[in-house]
Amino acid sequence: MQFEKFNPLEDEMIQVMDETGEIVDPDLLPELSDEELLKLYHTMRRSRAIDSVALNLQRQGRMLTYAPNLGQEAAQVGTGFALKETDWGVPAFRELGMWLSKGWTVDKILQYWYGSEWGSHHGDDIRLLPVSVPISSQYQHAVGIGMATRLRGEKDVVMAYTGDGGTSQGDFHEALNFAGVYKTPTVFVIQNNQYAISVPRVMQTASKNYAVKALAYGMPGILVDGNDIFAMVAISRWAVEYARENGPVLIEAYTFRMGAHTTSDDPTKYRTDEDVEPWIAKDPMIRFEKYLINKGLLKEDEIEPLIEQFEDEVMAAYRSIEHSSDTEIDEIFKYHYAEMTPQLQDQLDEYLAYLKGADSNAQ
Amino acid sequence: MPNKINIVQAVQQALQNEMALDPTVVVYGEDVGVEGGVFRATVGLQQEFGEDRSFDTPLAESAIVGSAVGMAINGFKPVVEMQFMGFIYPAFNQIISHVARYRNRTRGQRHLPMVIRAPYGGGIRALEHHSESTEAMFAHIPGLKVVIPSTPYDAKGLLIAAIRDPDPVLFLEPKRIYRAFRQEVPEEAYTLPIGKAKIVKEGDELTVVTWGAMVPDVQKAVSNIDDISVEVIDLRTISPMDRETIVASVEKTGRILIVHEAAKSFGAGAEIMAIVNEKAFLSLEAPPTRLTGFDTIFPLPRGEEHYIPTPARIEAKIRELAAY
Ligand SMILES: Cc1ncc(C[n+]2csc(CCOP(=O)(O)OP(=O)(O)O)c2C)c(N)n1
């Protein structure tokens, strides 16, 4: 239980691999087979391919508002990777790398952002909740899933996500407090990407960092370099097993939102190139690629074709949903209750009758 | 120079005018200060009035509204922004338990001159929680006024009235038509009375009552009808409701259609029908009728065109009701 005593008021941020791809803390380097290393890398690259295709489609008017994950791939993939299939993922809305790890398929992910409720129907019975837009409200659900797990005497862990902005909501604090009291098997992840839309960290909290918030609720809080895939995997693996056996943990993944908040946002309104510049070299992808190349697992000239292959796959997934995602009218009505109420049935019938009338008038 | 502005600019101008006139007016919320609001409704205010009077907050609606209560108790007139109406609910406890109750429970000793602004409504191809219209839930709260403008002129005059109002006002802005059209608006501050509807078009055969982003849609529908004399009322304030204007109109026309984009059941339309039944029952020549959103969650964009009544549906409903 080496991290149980991590003191976020004093200890340094945990880093295993620095920006150049050098391993700076070999003791913490997680055990990973070559196959696992490539799986991590490919998931990060897939995430970036989805972002890049989605942003492109959005510019062409073929995608709606989209929240990119650029720069946060290590934080998302590293945490998601540590979960077993029986463990749960409880996302906010910017956890693409974790979604992929949990098995939300690319076509379904795109379908959600394309404005169809079917995107949130994961198809397979995977232990992943849908996106939660009301900030930090999902933290409570993560706690409840853990309470149920404990009541049944099971050992599943729940990984819950929010952003730095999300730590300001009452729901965040209430959830941590519940988790502390009931010792739920929850790993709370804060992706601190330094901004909540335009609001920078200094306006969000006077705490030394976000990890310290854990202390008040009686759980370990660990500050991790969120752009270091090895630090993320090491801490997440530890945290998941700690939560499984003991109770809640909080991880602050210190990272950076390289892109806009969403496609509706213009970051030049509130941050400068100088704010972004230092983070370009810290890109989690670049340092992981350097490491893999040094290790002989990846060749420089394989990267471009790989990106192309992944982007082609994403485009194919998009094509599979682009023209088949329009909502059937009765679908608007029939999923509110197990049985449609008479009121809903009346409203559906009236609307269909109107459409029929309008149609015959038009002829 | 003519001051031809759209609704969101009218909101900004109202805030600017009042901040210049009254040093106790402060404007805050998420992304309100540096960025000037995600819809740019508070743009330039921090530059002009400083960080003390227009500022960003941590991401916490309950604290935004709850602190506004304290500011109002202690001599300020806070105008706080909820980024979208769909994110007002963390503050619902503050609104229903404190904002709306202070004057009554202190027998008038303490009252809250504060405004909560929120863009509301659908039809903008947005993600989940960004499209609902839940004005009726707030209009049902005793002690709270609920205002919804539909034009730049009304937005400015009503927002200034809301800021000057000694009591709390929920000011809901129809984001679908934030930038839909411009209107010549006085540059200086002016007020319009809260609680007064506006007759947008006079007529004597059928009354349509509507508000917010539905007003232009109703006008469009009515412009296609020259064989029925339709009176169109823009309610402008949901609570307290202008009963006189509605009743006088129905006494004249005998027929009323209420058009709103909020869900049908228990909506503001039901209250209007109750008022008509109570006050104009003997004038009625047809059952009061509603055309509204469905009793469903607002569909995501791939199905959203079905939800909000279209001008064609409004026209059809008017014709159906006129023929009753
Ligand atoms: C309760 C609530 N208030 C406001 C919003 C609007 N909103 C969406 S994302 C966001 C910022 C979130 O910041 P953060 O938690 O840091 O996550 P990030 O976007 O940086 O990933 C805001 C204010 C919301 N979705 N829910």
Side-chain angles (χ1 to χ4, degrees):
Chain A
M1 292 298 133
Q2 51 184 331
F3 300 109
E4 200 178 339
K5 295 277 176 292
F6 183 93
N7 183 351
L9 283 166
E10 285 172 9
D11 293 337
E12 302 257 306
M13 181 163 80
I14 288 178
Q15 191 185 58
V16 177
M17 172 169 61
D18 71 8
E19 291 169 37
T20 67
E22 289 298 316
I23 300 303
V24 292
D25 192 342
D27 294 344
L28 290 188
L29 185 65
E31 238 173 79
L32 291 162
S33 66
D34 289 354
E35 200 183 312
E36 285 175 317
L37 284 168
L38 285 176
K39 185 175 171 199
L40 283 166
Y41 173 58
H42 288 170
T43 311
M44 285 170 66
R45 266 291 167 211
R46 281 212 166 82
S47 166
R48 201 163 277 195
I50 294 170
D51 273 357
S52 126
V53 170
L55 292 173
N56 241 326
L57 288 166
Q58 206 276 342
R59 278 189 286 272
Q60 298 166 20
R62 294 163 75 192
M63 186 49 88
L64 304 166
T65 308
Y66 182 78
N69 304 268
L70 218 74
Q72 299 179 224
E73 292 89 351
Q76 301 173 6
V77 173
T79 47
F81 181 79
L83 295 174
K84 292 189 189 173
E85 210 179 311
T86 44
D87 294 332
W88 291 79
V90 176
F93 57 90
R94 201 193 302 281
E95 287 85 18
L96 177 54
M98 183 273 284
W99 304 336
L100 293 171
S101 310
K102 281 311 289 179
W104 192 8
T105 53
V106 180
D107 55 339
K108 287 280 174 182
I109 292 169
L110 292 171
Q111 202 173 25
Y112 176 78
W113 293 103
Y114 190 45
S116 165
E117 287 80 357
W118 285 111
S120 295
H121 183 289
H122 293 144
D124 294 328
D125 189 18
I126 53 176
R127 291 198 156 179
L128 174 70
L129 296 195
V131 159
S132 172
V133 172
I135 302 291
S136 284
S137 52
Q138 70 281 0
Y139 258 39
Q140 321 272 21
H141 313 156
V143 170
I145 291 172
M147 289 164 75
T149 294
R150 280 279 143 97
L151 280 180
R152 270 202 305 268
E154 292 167 356
K155 289 269 183 187
D156 306 323
V157 170
V158 188
M159 184 94 83
Y161 293 77
T162 195
D164 40 298
T167 64
S168 297
Q169 284 287 358
D171 275 2
F172 171 87
H173 295 271
E174 294 174 25
L176 261 64
N177 190 47
F178 251 59
V181 168
Y182 293 111
K183 303 221 177 341
T184 58
T186 322
V187 180
F188 296 105
V189 179
I190 300 166
Q191 287 197 75
N192 172 12
N193 64 8
Q194 314 299 332
Y195 292 90
I197 309 186
S198 73
V199 179
R201 189 216 171 285
V202 286
M203 288 300 304
Q204 205 60 248
T205 184
S207 302
K208 185 178 155 83
N209 50 48
Y210 292 102
V212 299
K213 295 183 190 281
L215 302 185
Y217 300 102
M219 66 184 79
I222 301 159
L223 177 60
V224 190
D225 181 349
N227 285 11
D228 170 359
I229 185 67
F230 293 137
M232 285 311 305
V233 169
I235 295 303
S236 303
R237 275 183 174 171
W238 171 82
V240 165
E241 291 324 308
Y242 179 87
R244 207 182 298 289
E245 298 307 326
N246 301 281
V249 194
L250 183 142
I251 297 173
E252 173 183 352
Y254 194 84
T255 179
F256 192 77
R257 198 194 75 213
M258 309 249 286
H261 170 71
T262 66
T263 46
S264 315
D265 173 47
D266 173 9
T268 61
K269 294 256 175 350
Y270 53 83
R271 72 184 190 189
T272 61
D273 288 348
E274 286 87 80
D275 296 322
V276 183
E277 185 65 33
W279 286 89
I280 293 175
K282 292 190 214 269
D283 186 329
M285 202 74 75
I286 296 176
R287 82 176 81 163
F288 196 18
E289 280 170 352
K290 280 184 184 152
Y291 175 88
L292 294 172
I293 289 168
N294 281 341
K295 210 172 151 61
L297 285 174
L298 180 73
K299 294 198 191 69
E300 189 85 55
D301 59 7
E302 287 172 353
I303 297 175
E304 269 312 313
L306 197 66
I307 292 173
E308 235 169 81
Q309 180 202 324
F310 287 165
E311 290 187 356
D312 286 350
E313 285 169 21
V314 177
M315 217 29 229
Y318 176 75
R319 281 198 207 93
S320 77
I321 57 106
E322 181 177 19
H323 299 297
S324 57
S325 291
D326 282 357
T327 303
E328 303 285 337
I329 290 166
D330 64 338
E331 291 175 340
I332 295 172
F333 295 83
K334 73 182 190 193
Y335 292 107
H336 284 71
Y337 307 98
E339 248 177 83
M340 211 192 285
T341 61
Q343 285 83 350
L344 285 170
Q345 189 65 56
D346 284 355
Q347 290 173 24
L348 171 58
D349 292 346
E350 192 188 338
Y351 184 55
L352 291 175
Y354 163 77
L355 289 178
K356 213 166 150 197
D359 214 38
S360 55
N361 282 348
Q363 275 158 23
Chain B
M1 244 212 347
N3 184 38
K4 243 186 143 183
I5 55 177
N6 61 33
I7 290 179
V8 75
Q9 290 168 323
V11 167
Q12 192 274 352
Q13 208 171 79
L15 294 170
Q16 189 187 25
N17 286 165
E18 279 307 274
M19 289 179 86
L21 291 170
D22 182 348
T24 69
V25 175
V26 290
V27 173
Y28 63 94
E30 295 156 13
D31 307 286
V32 158
V34 173
E35 189 183 12
V38 295
F39 287 104
R40 326 219 57 71
T42 56
V43 86
L45 300 179
Q46 184 169 82
Q47 284 84 337
E48 186 171 348
F49 301 103
E51 288 177 25
D52 285 347
R53 295 192 54 206
S54 175
F55 53 90
D56 293 319
T57 66
L59 209 174
E61 289 77 10
S62 181
I64 293 169
V65 172
S67 67
V69 170
M71 292 277 266
I73 286 172
N74 200 9
F76 280 85
K77 290 184 188 154
V79 184
V80 295
E81 176 175 299
M82 303 281 102
Q83 201 160 82
F84 285 83
M85 191 185 198
F87 306 133
I88 199 172
Y89 305 106
F92 200 73
N93 180 35
Q94 287 293 337
I95 293 171
I96 196 165
S97 304
H98 292 298
V99 171
R101 295 170 74 102
Y102 246 99
R103 181 186 287 278
N104 178 65
R105 57 194 280 260
T106 63
R107 285 295 177 259
Q109 188 196 344
R110 300 204 189 280
H111 63 99
L112 305 177
M114 60 182 277
V115 179
I116 303 169
R117 296 180 37 245
Y120 86 95
I124 58 158
R125 303 173 71 70
L127 299 169
E128 290 178 283
H129 308 282
H130 290 74
S131 298
E132 271 82 3
S133 307
T134 54
E135 63 272 19
M137 285 176 36
F138 294 88
H140 192 62
I141 300 174
L144 188 68
K145 295 179 181 176
V146 181
V147 172
I148 304 184
S150 75
T151 65
Y153 181 80
D154 288 357
K156 181 168 175 182
L158 286 167
L159 181 52
I160 292 176
I163 296 170
R164 294 183 189 177
D165 199 291
D167 290 310
V169 178
L170 176 64
F171 192 82
L172 297 174
E173 299 164 9
K175 62 178 173 302
R176 177 157 61 99
I177 56 168
Y178 253 162
R179 296 183 167 79
F181 57 96
R182 287 163 185 272
Q183 196 180 23
E184 184 77 41
V185 168
E187 230 163 313
E188 61 281 5
Y190 61 94
T191 61
L192 293 171
I194 290 175
K196 283 301 293 174
K198 179 173 71 180
I199 296 173
V200 175
K201 178 187 168 297
E202 291 197 34
D204 51 26
E205 290 178 312
L206 190 148
T207 302
V208 179
V209 179
T210 191
W211 54 91
M214 294 311 299
V215 173
D217 290 342
V218 167
Q219 284 174 300
K220 197 160 169 216
V222 170
S223 71
N224 281 334
I225 302 174
D226 36 28
D227 48 337
I228 307 161
S229 170
V230 181
E231 179 145 297
V232 178
I233 296 175
D234 176 354
L235 199 55
R236 297 199 293 189
T237 299
I238 309 302
S239 175
M241 202 175 274
D242 180 355
R243 297 175 303 182
E244 290 70 28
T245 299
I246 297 168
V247 169
S249 180
V250 175
E251 281 172 346
K252 177 171 64 173
T253 64
R255 288 177 161 82
I256 179 167
L257 171 68
I258 300 121
V259 179
H260 63 63
E261 71 174 87
K264 183 174 197 171
S265 297
F266 311 99
E271 177 63 24
I272 296 170
M273 290 167 75
I275 289 168
V276 168
N277 282 330
E278 286 165 2
K279 310 263 183 206
F281 188 71
L282 295 177
S283 307
L284 286 170
E285 289 166 37
T289 302
R290 284 172 287 180
L291 182 63
T292 67
F294 308 125
D295 287 350
T296 69
I297 290 159
F298 201 99
L300 289 185
R302 297 263 83 78
E304 79 173 10
E305 81 269 18
H306 299 293
Y307 191 87
I308 300 176
T310 56
R313 276 173 74 196
I314 297 166
E315 183 186 338
K317 204 53 148 180
I318 290 172
R319 293 191 180 283
E320 189 187 317
L321 182 58
Y324 182 90

